Amino acid sequence: MSKANSSTDTGARTEEPDTGARTEEPAAQNAYEDTAAEREQERVDHAAGERLSTAPREERPETGSESGTGVPAMGVVGWIRWFWRQLTSMRVALILLFLLSLGAIPGSLIPQTSVDDLKVQNFKDQHTTLTPIYEKFQLFDVYSSVWFSAIYILLFVSLIGCIVPRTGQFVGQLRSRPPGAPKRLNRLPAYTTWRTEAEPEAVREAALGVLGKRRFRAHAVGDAVAAEKGYLREAGNLIFHIALIVMLVAFAAGQLFKSEGGKLVVEGDGFANTLTQYDDFKSGSLYDSDSLAPFSFVLDDFVGTYEESGPQRGTPRTFEARVKYTEGADGPERKSVIRVNEPLVVDGTKVYLIAHGYAPVVTVRDGKGKVVSRNSVPLLPIDNNITSTGAIKVMDGYRDKNGVKTQLGFKAFFVPTFAGHGKGQMFSQFPGAEFPVLALSAYRGSLGVDSGLPQNVYQLDTSKMKEFKDEDGELLKKMLRPGEKLDLADGEGSITFDGIEEWASFQISQQPGNGWALGGAIAAIAGLAGSLFIQRRRVWVRAVRGADGVTVVEMAGLGRSESAKLPEELGDLAAALITTAPVAPEKPDVPEKPDAPGPSDDATNEAGSRPVHPADAPAEGAEK
């Protein structure tokens, strides 16, 4: 199979495949007609290629004829239309998507008010020069800033404006049939031809069958069969863009309607999903607190085991919270185990296990031996071996030796595995409670809890308190093992370290858009893969009877983009069609008279009886 003709810069002679003789015409007239035909065919081929895409076509504005300057005459409506075309173009959509990605970078590097107010305040205290700049550009609230919202909305509008017209055009192409064959198939990128003794009608019927088996949409148009394949390319492109819109909507809904809170629960205690039970709670601007899912749970036991030896000593092996939960006000009690990345799901709300620590059990007595307080006090870990710090506060019920009501406070430092005296600082050597030690220092006075200002329960404000003194006049402090006690000075009472309980911290969150975001991401990947790896292409098969009575078969293919697979596919289709329309036997060569007109080499190649694979065909214009 080969190209049927060759061309030069001045316009070459073209031989028609259905003629067996060459006609002599004046050279100038031949050159003129061939050049005009080439231009017309190029226009047709270009139009055929454009019709393989559903991208919106840009319309050029009319030029100003009165001024004669050629400057577009665009009024207000014209400028609006121009701006809309630019906004809905693929180029602008990609730019906006890139800007959205860039805008999310400061939201990941700079503390955000919506995530952690304490971190934001600490950042402001440490960076007094940068803080005014960051506040001016809303970098502490990136995702709710004006500039980020503008990019987000413009991208949303751009995608919708791009998808709607393309979807209409794509549906129209699905309902229509492939266009008829161009006049000169030999000018298309992939082309082959041969002669056969089969009837033209039989060849076209066989071509319909071959193309149909290869999942081409095919139909007969005149003396040719037109077929098209690869519609999933544009479908994948549309799915990708629709999936992006779904993801944008899901992220927006997740930010507007989300709720997220934390709760620290000691073994034996529980939690009910109401606002008053949360240690901290944040929600979207459109969230309704009445939509909190009604459920409760009790932490029966926390189980944590760790690697005992080797380079991974201290690495958690078991990390789970065993709970009993009840759905609704009077639902049945069920048991469940919450692990890392395995949350408890109740009515669309997820309960995640995020942290663990120890809560020493202490008993405080006054000078008369009366129990003033007995509870487990959660302490916050400061390292991977769960070295913990905190505060023990006695706000009510205590009286000094003179019977005056006062408050007690103890700074607490706890290690689950103490190395021993004289073996370095008091830091835990292992996260498991193998040798627990609690270090306390005692204060008395006002804790400041009656001032009405919020106070951190894990910190002790000693500004209005006095130290208990030991025999040497120093701050009273002592390291306690379970069962030991610290006696306060002057018979003011005591505090006893009774034992250890464990606590678990949970995050209770409701994210309404997560499922849609995941589905959109999967659809976007699938659509992008389809738009990248599927090629839209058309194939035409023409079968006409030649002047000598032998049928001439021509096959050609046109793709939306350049691809080496198109000639290969056309060759496979030709091989399948040859089984029904076999190559006609070659006729014996007849010597030509020197001056007698006869078929040219080009015509012999075009209507020859030995087809060549399109991938091996010489390029148009190459020498034979």
Side-chain angles (χ1 to χ4, degrees):
M1 304 175 192
S2 65
K3 288 288 182 180
N5 65 318
S6 60
S7 61
T8 64
D9 294 339
T10 59
R13 181 182 67 248
T14 303
E15 303 287 349
E16 295 295 338
D18 56 352
T19 60
R22 178 178 57 194
T23 59
E24 296 293 339
E25 295 182 359
Q29 183 178 355
N30 286 345
Y32 174 79
E33 291 181 354
D34 288 345
T35 302
E38 288 174 2
R39 292 176 178 173
E40 177 64 20
Q41 187 62 36
E42 288 176 359
R43 186 189 66 80
V44 173
D45 294 344
H46 179 70
E50 283 187 340
R51 287 195 298 270
L52 285 174
S53 172
T54 61
R57 299 180 180 88
E58 294 190 2
E59 300 177 4
R60 296 181 179 178
E62 298 179 358
T63 58
S65 57
E66 296 181 359
S67 61
T69 59
V71 178
M74 297 174 63
V76 176
V77 177
W79 279 109
I80 293 175
R81 293 178 62 186
W82 177 86
F83 177 79
W84 177 253
R85 293 193 194 101
Q86 300 304 313
L87 180 60
T88 56
S89 66
M90 182 63 63
R91 178 178 64 257
V92 173
L94 291 176
I95 292 174
L96 290 172
L97 188 61
F98 178 69
L99 291 177
L100 195 70
S101 302
L102 288 180
I105 293 177
S108 303
L109 300 179
I110 301 174
Q112 298 296 294
T113 305
S114 60
V115 178
D116 195 329
D117 292 332
L118 183 60
K119 285 186 177 180
V120 172
Q121 188 59 47
N122 291 336
F123 184 92
K124 291 181 178 180
D125 295 339
Q126 297 173 7
H127 304 84
T128 56
T129 303
L130 291 176
T131 296
I133 301 175
Y134 285 4
E135 288 179 339
K136 183 176 181 179
F137 290 98
Q138 300 178 298
L139 296 184
F140 293 116
D141 299 278
V142 168
Y143 303 110
S144 59
S145 63
V146 174
W147 56 269
F148 191 87
S149 301
I151 297 174
Y152 197 92
I153 294 172
L154 286 176
L155 177 60
F156 191 82
V157 174
S158 177
L159 289 175
I160 293 179
C162 181
I163 288 173
V164 171
R166 295 187 70 154
T167 302
Q169 293 177 15
F170 182 59
V171 171
Q173 289 190 359
L174 289 177
R175 298 177 62 183
S176 62
R177 291 187 173 188
K183 182 179 180 181
R184 293 189 177 184
L185 293 177
N186 54 7
R187 292 186 178 274
L188 297 183
Y191 173 78
T192 184
T193 182
W194 72 93
R195 292 157 54 91
T196 180
E197 294 181 350
E199 295 295 325
E201 294 78 6
V203 174
R204 290 193 288 268
E205 189 68 26
L208 285 172
V210 170
L211 293 168
K213 290 180 180 179
R214 303 296 180 94
R215 298 188 300 277
F216 277 85
R217 292 180 59 193
H219 69 114
V221 183
D223 59 359
V225 172
E228 189 168 1
K229 189 179 182 181
Y231 289 91
L232 287 179
R233 178 187 179 91
E234 184 62 23
N237 196 8
L238 293 174
I239 290 173
F240 172 74
H241 288 83
I242 293 173
L244 287 181
I245 292 180
V246 171
M247 293 172 64
L248 291 175
V249 173
F251 291 148
Q255 291 297 318
L256 293 174
F257 297 97
K258 74 173 183 179
S259 68
E260 184 176 281
K263 179 64 178 178
L264 187 149
V265 182
V266 181
E267 289 176 330
D269 292 341
F271 166 79
N273 193 27
T274 59
L275 285 178
T276 57
Q277 289 282 300
Y278 282 92
D279 294 334
D280 58 86
F281 183 84
K282 295 179 180 179
S283 62
S285 58
L286 299 181
Y287 182 78
D288 184 5
S289 59
D290 294 335
S291 61
L292 285 172
F295 71 91
S296 61
F297 67 87
V298 175
L299 176 61
D300 283 342
D301 186 26
F302 179 87
V303 179
T305 60
Y306 309 90
E307 186 68 32
E308 296 285 346
S309 61
Q312 294 186 339
R313 172 179 164 82
T315 303
R317 295 305 179 195
T318 304
F319 202 79
E320 59 186 32
R322 299 172 181 176
V323 300
K324 294 178 182 177
Y325 71 96
T326 301
E327 185 174 358
D330 53 356
E333 187 177 76
R334 299 184 178 92
K335 292 185 178 182
S336 181
V337 177
I338 306 175
R339 301 182 179 89
V340 178
N341 296 327
E342 296 182 16
L344 170 67
V345 182
V346 182
D347 194 17
T349 301
K350 296 183 178 180
V351 182
Y352 292 91
L353 174 63
I354 59 174
H356 154 259
Y358 293 99
V361 180
V362 295
T363 301
V364 179
R365 295 179 173 85
D366 59 16
K368 298 180 179 180
K370 177 184 176 182
V371 176
V372 176
S373 171
R374 186 180 190 280
N375 52 23
S376 54
V377 182
L379 303 180
L380 296 182
I382 60 175
D383 61 20
N384 292 332
N385 288 327
I386 319 184
T387 302
S388 307
T389 64
I392 301 173
K393 302 178 182 181
V394 180
M395 293 177 285
D396 299 310
Y398 176 78
R399 295 177 181 270
D400 61 13
K401 61 181 180 180
N402 298 321
V404 179
K405 290 184 178 181
T406 188
Q407 295 176 332
L408 299 179
F410 301 87
K411 289 184 177 180
F413 195 89
F414 174 78
V415 289
T417 302
F418 183 47
H421 293 284
K423 295 184 179 180
Q425 297 179 342
M426 186 180 172
F427 281 93
S428 180
Q429 307 299 307
F430 188 74
E434 296 186 350
F435 193 80
V437 172
L438 175 65
L440 297 174
S441 54
Y443 299 83
R444 60 183 172 182
S446 174
L447 293 170
V449 296
D450 300 327
S451 62
L453 299 176
Q455 193 178 84
N456 192 329
V457 296
Y458 303 103
Q459 294 179 351
L460 184 65
D461 182 8
T462 59
S463 60
K464 298 181 179 181
M465 305 190 77
K466 296 181 179 180
E467 301 175 350
F468 279 98
K469 302 294 184 177
D470 59 12
E471 296 177 353
D472 298 328
E474 300 293 335
L475 173 65
L476 180 63
K477 53 186 177 181
K478 186 177 181 180
M479 298 171 59
L480 305 177
R481 292 273 294 138
E484 298 179 348
K485 70 176 180 177
L486 169 64
D487 291 321
L488 303 179
D490 301 328
E492 297 282 352
S494 64
I495 180 171
T496 304
F497 179 23
D498 295 326
I500 305 171
E501 290 183 353
E502 297 184 76
W503 59 260
S505 181
F506 300 93
Q507 176 180 295
I508 300 93
S509 63
Q510 187 176 2
Q511 298 283 352
N514 282 354
W516 285 98
L518 176 61
I522 295 175
I525 294 174
L528 184 61
S531 64
L532 291 177
F533 298 109
I534 298 175
Q535 185 186 23
R536 184 88 173 271
R537 65 269 194 200
R538 287 172 179 165
V539 172
W540 292 276
V541 181
R542 175 176 286 143
V544 295
R545 193 179 300 280
D548 57 356
V550 180
T551 301
V552 177
V553 182
E554 289 182 289
M555 293 186 67
L558 177 65
R560 181 70 183 89
S561 59
E562 294 291 336
S563 175
K565 294 183 179 180
L566 181 61
E568 295 178 4
E569 185 176 32
L570 189 68
D572 294 340
L573 291 171
L577 185 57
I578 285 176
T579 59
T580 304
V583 177
E586 295 184 4
K587 294 182 179 180
D589 295 335
V590 178
E592 295 184 5
K593 294 181 180 181
D595 297 329
S600 66
D601 290 339
D602 288 347
T604 302
N605 286 336
E606 182 177 343
S609 58
R610 185 172 298 171
V612 178
H613 197 285
D616 300 328
E620 184 175 346
E623 294 184 0
K624 296 189 183 349

